[in-house]
């Protein structure tokens, strides 16, 4: 069996823990190292799994790994992706891919020039409900798509996510990209116009927006709207949601991605909770990345997909400034 | 109180039934240009039937007229009633343009009669509870809200709904319910952006309202939904979330094993029963407002504001631009 040697750069984004577990579950993957400028963040996972640690990611890139997973702060994605590409490593990068269109184009170009693949981490494409909905739409079960309403509501993440010099934006950036990627994927069309509103409404002390509503119009004429707010209070039974209602000419469908959950009422927790029991989307996304690299096929979600989604959020901030739709 | 009703369609009959059981209220006339329709309603509640609105105004001795006809006829019938000295209770939307709405309000004031508009959502207990809890501070400051109102296309039963010039389409006829509710809950609206797709099968609209407070709401309305009529709302605030969903509040499920008329293997009828219908509570509030000389829970000026926002949404959907609200700063006045 061919083996893929994988390294991870930065655990700043908590998704790194889940991606690591997904890689570890695959017998064809060897985790060859973890780099993090804050070593204390990764010491436990390093010792638990016997993984070599690096304080400087450039040292990790000098090893013979085949690929890296990058979960650094948004503002560092470009530096890390381009360095990995120049070291000849394939890349899976946490979303949002970058903080400007120009930056993301440079990342994509660096990977192309160096003959490595770039995948954007959009695990929602691997939700079983999403996969089945896509098949239903492609089979024409609801006719042509007319409109989409989505939500990616969440809890306020704190940490570097709310520091604009590290995150590059608030809820509108953080939570536009997942469902926007799904909208792009389902419509097969490109967003041409964006209207958005963003504000700090739930946590007054924040330096970034925590509420967002973003409308898009696609070249195909389809329109969509998405709530990106970190609006789930501490008392809410779960962290947030990913929903998408697609209205078609011959029917409609509704995806409630985490509806596969039990209701748990525990005095110890002090509130009711929705406990998810559905399939692990990260596992299937990571497997998709690994399978593509081992078989020499294109990765299932590209850097361009990451750009097409992030550029909508970036245009959204321009719309917030002028109070009117802006063109892409 | 002597009440007459014009329009004996679905809502006219709801009005008739509500007044018929209301203490101290007598239905002294029902009117419709469709003779068979007016006869059915008249027989059902035991009231005189009229096919001429003018005759009913002159002969029935009514003090109040309840208007439940096509939206584009609201203004004409309301003004005739006001000029005949009758109080007016009118179904929503108040009118299809602001000039008509203002003329109705002004004519009623000039003739010293009251004008009420049936924004009934304020009287639905689940929505009233949201308003109450928001005011109590249960969820802190309002941040982001959603509303949804979806059902079959009424145009297939009554073709005038297909014509924007008669009904105003899904925004003016259906979304306006949630526009009034969300303005009641969230305060005055600063701007509206909307997108809409309309055909004979589907009239779908999504509108984002930004409030003067900085809060934001997305309202969705749909005719041509392939499922039962459903309403839902979520209000998220700085200290909590309130949600309501009619599809999850059916307190009674009746399932019968025999085949339905449509040929299905079973019949399923979800219900959410209550002792008094929201329409009854609304009409009683209007009647008591006349009796007691007080404001109702929803005023004619509220109806004007809801229309203003609905028209802005319609314009935004047409032009693709966000529309600013509140150039008209006239203070709400009692009518």
């Amino acid at each position: 069996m061919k083996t893929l040697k994988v390294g991870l750069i930065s655990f700043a984004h908590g998704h790194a823990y889940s991606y690591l577990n997904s890689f570890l579950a695959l017998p064809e993957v060897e985790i060859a190292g973890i780099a993090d400028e804050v070593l204390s963040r990764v010491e436990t996972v390093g010792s638990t799994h016997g993984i070599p640690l690096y304080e400087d990611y450039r040292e990790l890139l000098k090893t013979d790994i085949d690929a890296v997973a990058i979960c650094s702060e948004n503002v560092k994605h470009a530096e890390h992706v381009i360095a990995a590409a120049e070291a000849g490593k394939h890349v899976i990068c946490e979303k949002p891919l970058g903080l400007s269109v120009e930056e993301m184009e440079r990342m994509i170009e660096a990977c192309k020039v160096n003959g490595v693949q770039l995948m954007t981490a959009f695990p929602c494409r691997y939700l079983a409900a999403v996969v089945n909905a896509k098949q239903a739409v492609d089979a024409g079960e609801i006719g042509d798509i007319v409109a989409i309403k989505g939500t990616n509501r969440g809890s306020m993440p704190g940490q570097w996510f709310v520091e604009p010099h590290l995150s590059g934006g608030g809820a509108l950036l953080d939570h536009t990209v997942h469902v926007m990627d799904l909208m792009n994927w389902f419509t097969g069309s490109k967003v041409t116009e964006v209207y958005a509103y963003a504000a700090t409404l739930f946590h007054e002390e924040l330096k970034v927006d925590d509420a967002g509503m973003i409308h898009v119009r696609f070249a195909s004429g389809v329109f969509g709207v998405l709530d990106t707010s970190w609006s789930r209070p501490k008392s809410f039974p779960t962290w947030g949601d990913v929903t998408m209602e697609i209205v078609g000419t011959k029917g409609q469908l509704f995806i409630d991605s985490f509806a596969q959950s039990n209701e748990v009422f525990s005095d110890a927790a002090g509130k009711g909770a929705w406990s998810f029991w559905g399939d692990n989307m990260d596992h299937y996304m990571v497997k998709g990345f690994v399978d593509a690299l081992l078989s020499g096929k294109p990765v299932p979600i590209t850097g361009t997909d990451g750009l097409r989604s992030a550029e909508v959020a970036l245009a959204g901030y321009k719309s917030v400034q002028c109070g009117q739709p802006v063109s892409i | 109180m002597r009440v007459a009703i014009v329009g004996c369609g679905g809502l006219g009959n709801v009005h008739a039934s509500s007044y018929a059981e209301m203490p101290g209220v007598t239905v002294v006339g029902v009117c419709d240009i469709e003779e068979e329709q007016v006869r059915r309603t008249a027989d059902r509640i035991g009231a005189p039937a009229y096919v001429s609105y003018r005759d009913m105004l002159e002969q029935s001795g009514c003090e109040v007229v309840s208007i439940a006809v096509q939206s584009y006829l609201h203004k004409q019938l309301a003004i005739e009633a006001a000029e005949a000295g009758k109080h007016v209770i009118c179904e929503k939307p108040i009118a299809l343009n602001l000039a008509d709405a203002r003329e109705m309000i002004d004519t009623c004031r000039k003739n010293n009669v009251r004008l009420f508009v049936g924004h009934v959502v304020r009287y639905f207990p689940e929505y009233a509870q949201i308003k109450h809890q928001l005011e109590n501070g249960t969820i802190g400051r309002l941040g982001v809200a959603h509303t949804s109102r979806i059902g079959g296309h009424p145009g297939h039963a009554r073709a005038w709904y297909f014509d924007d010039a008669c009904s105003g389409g899904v925004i003016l006829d259906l979304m306006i319910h949630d526009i009034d509710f969300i303005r009641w809950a969230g305060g005055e609206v600063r701007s509206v952006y909307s997108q809409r797709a309309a055909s004979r099968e589907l009239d779908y609209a999504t509108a984002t309202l930004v409030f003067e407070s900085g809060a934001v709401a997305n309202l969705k309305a749909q005719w041509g939904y392939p499922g039962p009529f459903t309403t839902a709302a979520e209000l998220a605030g700085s200290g909590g979330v309130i949600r309501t969903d009619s599809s999850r509040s059916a307190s009674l499920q009746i399932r019968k094993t025999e085949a339905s008329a449509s040929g299905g293997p079973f019949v399923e009828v979800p219900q959410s029963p209550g002792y008094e219908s929201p329409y009854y509570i609304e009409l009683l509030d209007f009647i008591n407002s006349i009796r007691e000389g007080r404001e109702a829970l929803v005023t004619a000026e509220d109806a004007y504001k809801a229309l203003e926002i609905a028209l802005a949404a319609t314009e935004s959907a047409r032009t693709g631009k966000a529309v600013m609200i509140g150039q008209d700063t006239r203070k709400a006045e009692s009518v």
Side-chain angles (χ1 to χ4, degrees):
Chain A
M1 184 170 65
K2 273 205 288 187
T3 300
L4 193 73
K5 291 181 83 170
V6 175
L8 292 94
I9 296 180
S10 181
F11 274 51
H13 199 302
H15 286 170
Y17 296 93
S18 177
Y19 300 160
L20 172 63
N21 287 331
S22 299
F23 280 121
L24 288 170
L26 297 172
E28 63 271 37
V29 171
E30 179 194 335
I31 297 293
I34 296 174
D36 199 313
E37 59 189 357
V38 185
L39 269 181
S40 60
R41 196 155 52 192
V42 291
E43 268 164 2
T44 307
V45 287
S47 59
T48 304
H49 302 290
I51 302 168
L53 301 181
Y54 301 84
E55 195 164 6
D56 186 338
Y57 73 89
R58 284 166 295 199
E59 297 302 315
L60 171 65
L61 289 177
K62 283 179 189 162
T63 68
D64 66 345
I65 55 172
D66 302 300
V68 287
I70 295 170
C71 288
S72 51
E73 297 88 343
N74 298 342
V75 73
K76 296 176 186 164
H77 285 179
E79 176 193 331
H80 290 159
V81 168
I82 290 169
E86 287 172 350
K89 317 300 184 190
H90 301 290
V91 178
I92 180 168
C93 181
E94 182 57 30
K95 61 83 207 168
L97 184 62
L99 298 178
S100 75
V101 170
E102 177 273 332
E103 175 179 278
M104 289 184 279
E105 283 171 346
R106 274 194 293 120
M107 295 158 76
I108 292 165
E109 182 63 17
C111 290
K112 192 176 154 194
V113 166
N114 289 285
V116 297
Q117 296 216 61
L118 172 58
M119 177 158 163
T120 311
F122 285 135
C124 293
R125 284 207 200 186
Y126 287 88
L127 287 157
V130 168
V131 170
N132 282 265
K134 177 71 161 66
Q135 286 166 358
V137 169
D138 289 349
E141 286 189 38
I142 62 165
D144 298 324
I145 297 176
V146 175
I148 306 176
K149 175 165 180 169
T151 63
N152 186 193
R153 293 172 286 208
S155 310
M156 201 273 285
Q159 306 171 68
W160 61 267
F161 289 90
V162 298
E163 300 297 335
H165 70 282
L166 293 172
S167 63
L172 188 65
L173 178 64
D174 188 41
H175 274 190
T176 289
V177 290
H178 281 299
V179 178
M180 196 51 58
D181 174 64
L182 296 183
M183 290 190 188
N184 288 337
W185 189 40
F186 274 73
T187 59
S189 185
K190 186 182 176 304
V191 171
T192 56
E193 194 174 70
V194 180
Y195 169 84
Y197 178 73
T200 309
L201 300 178
F202 298 99
H203 313 86
E204 269 179 339
E205 70 287 359
L206 292 189
K207 286 176 275 183
V208 294
D209 51 286
D210 62 6
M213 196 71 73
I214 186 162
H215 288 255
V216 290
R217 186 172 293 280
F218 289 88
S220 63
V222 172
F223 57 83
V225 62
L226 170 62
D227 180 353
T228 69
S229 307
W230 297 333
S231 55
R232 302 303 85 176
K234 289 191 278 291
S235 50
F236 205 73
T238 189
W239 62 271
D241 66 14
V242 172
T243 75
M244 200 161 63
E245 179 179 70
I246 306 181
V247 178
T249 52
K250 290 178 181 165
Q252 59 197 71
L253 62 81
F254 182 64
I255 299 163
D256 184 359
S257 302
F258 302 107
Q260 290 171 321
S261 57
N262 289 343
E263 294 177 300
V264 179
F265 303 92
S266 157
D267 287 343
K271 64 170 189 180
W274 298 337
S275 182
F276 182 66
W277 49 258
D279 291 326
N280 183 342
M281 58 179 175
D282 288 348
H283 171 79
Y284 289 92
M285 178 187 74
V286 165
K287 190 168 185 308
F289 176 65
V290 169
D291 287 350
L293 295 185
L294 286 178
S295 61
K297 289 184 179 145
V299 289
I301 308 169
T302 65
T304 301
D305 290 330
L307 186 161
R308 290 279 170 259
S309 174
E311 71 177 350
V312 173
L314 298 169
Y317 281 108
K318 284 187 195 154
S319 172
V320 173
Q321 287 301 314
C322 67
Q324 288 293 344
V326 297
S327 298
I328 297 189
Chain B
M1 189 80 68
R2 297 182 300 277
V3 179
I5 298 153
V6 58
C8 293
L11 271 177
N13 272 292
V14 170
H15 284 217
S17 305
S18 300
Y19 292 128
E21 61 183 77
M22 206 175 281
V25 171
T26 310
V27 180
V28 295
V30 293
C31 175
D32 201 297
I33 50 170
E34 300 283 343
E35 194 158 357
E36 196 184 322
Q37 198 152 301
V38 70
R39 183 59 57 199
R40 256 201 315 271
T41 306
D43 290 349
R44 192 167 63 80
I45 62 160
Y50 293 89
V51 285
S52 158
Y53 183 56
R54 174 62 37 200
D55 286 352
M56 184 169 77
L57 289 179
E58 288 171 356
Q59 298 164 18
S60 69
C62 64
E63 300 160 90
V64 182
V65 175
S66 230
I67 298 172
V69 298
Q70 290 91 322
S71 303
Y72 72 99
L73 296 170
H74 286 175
K75 176 190 128 180
Q76 181 199 330
L77 299 194
I79 284 175
E80 275 187 62
E83 287 174 344
K86 319 294 186 188
H87 301 294
V88 177
I89 293 173
C90 182
E91 265 309 326
K92 41 58 49 184
I94 180 171
L96 296 180
N97 64 69
L98 290 177
D100 283 1
R102 186 52 68 196
E103 195 182 335
M104 290 164 71
I105 292 171
D106 289 346
T107 305
C108 286
R109 189 185 297 119
K110 206 159 46 187
N111 287 281
N112 243 337
V113 296
R114 303 287 302 274
L115 172 62
F116 303 93
V117 182
H119 284 289
V120 72
V121 172
R122 295 193 189 201
Y123 297 90
F124 273 73
E126 62 269 49
Y127 288 87
Q129 187 186 75
I130 292 173
K131 163 74 171 169
H132 182 68
Q133 289 177 338
L134 188 62
E135 280 183 348
N136 274 355
T138 305
I139 61 162
R141 292 181 317 279
L142 179 63
V144 178
H146 290 269
T147 69
S148 170
R149 196 163 292 270
I150 57 181
H153 202 310
H156 298 296
R158 297 174 193 280
W160 65 274
Y161 282 104
F162 283 130
D163 186 355
D164 269 18
C166 294
S167 71
V170 79
I171 294 175
L172 259 69
D173 195 79
L174 189 64
M175 185 185 283
I176 200 163
H177 279 297
D178 290 311
I179 290 172
D180 174 64
F181 166 71
I182 210 67
R183 181 179 157 269
W184 188 44
E188 296 302 339
V189 169
R190 185 200 305 166
S191 72
V192 180
Y193 178 83
S194 179
Q195 294 169 313
R196 179 185 177 201
S199 70
R200 285 178 74 85
E201 287 72 41
L202 176 73
D203 195 347
Y204 177 95
T206 173
T208 289
L209 279 51
V210 178
F211 297 89
E212 295 288 1
S213 71
V216 61
N218 181 259
L219 282 55
K220 181 186 77 184
Q222 180 179 359
W223 281 340
Y225 172 66
F229 181 72
T230 306
T231 66
E234 176 187 295
L235 281 76
S238 55
V241 167
I242 309 177
R243 309 210 285 184
T244 188
D245 184 339
S246 64
S247 69
R248 293 182 184 186
S249 56
S251 55
L252 173 62
Q253 304 268 357
I254 299 179
R255 294 195 171 85
K256 300 181 186 179
T257 50
E258 76 239 34
S260 70
S262 59
F266 59 89
V267 184
E268 184 179 354
V269 185
Q271 302 171 39
S272 176
Y275 288 100
E276 288 176 340
S277 91
Y279 293 95
Y280 178 87
I281 300 167
E282 172 205 74
L283 295 171
L284 182 62
D285 183 40
F286 294 164
I287 295 294
N288 282 338
S289 297
I290 297 171
R291 285 168 170 156
E292 298 160 15
R294 60 164 172 84
E295 286 290 6
L297 191 59
V298 55
T299 67
E301 210 62 43
D302 290 326
Y304 180 92
K305 284 286 187 187
L307 176 64
E308 184 180 21
I309 296 164
L311 288 167
T314 306
E315 185 192 337
S316 174
R318 188 174 54 78
T319 63
K321 300 289 177 201
V323 177
M324 298 299 133
I325 304 281
Q327 314 307 332
D328 180 354
T329 53
R330 244 176 296 200
K331 229 179 123 54
E333 286 165 283
S334 171
V335 181

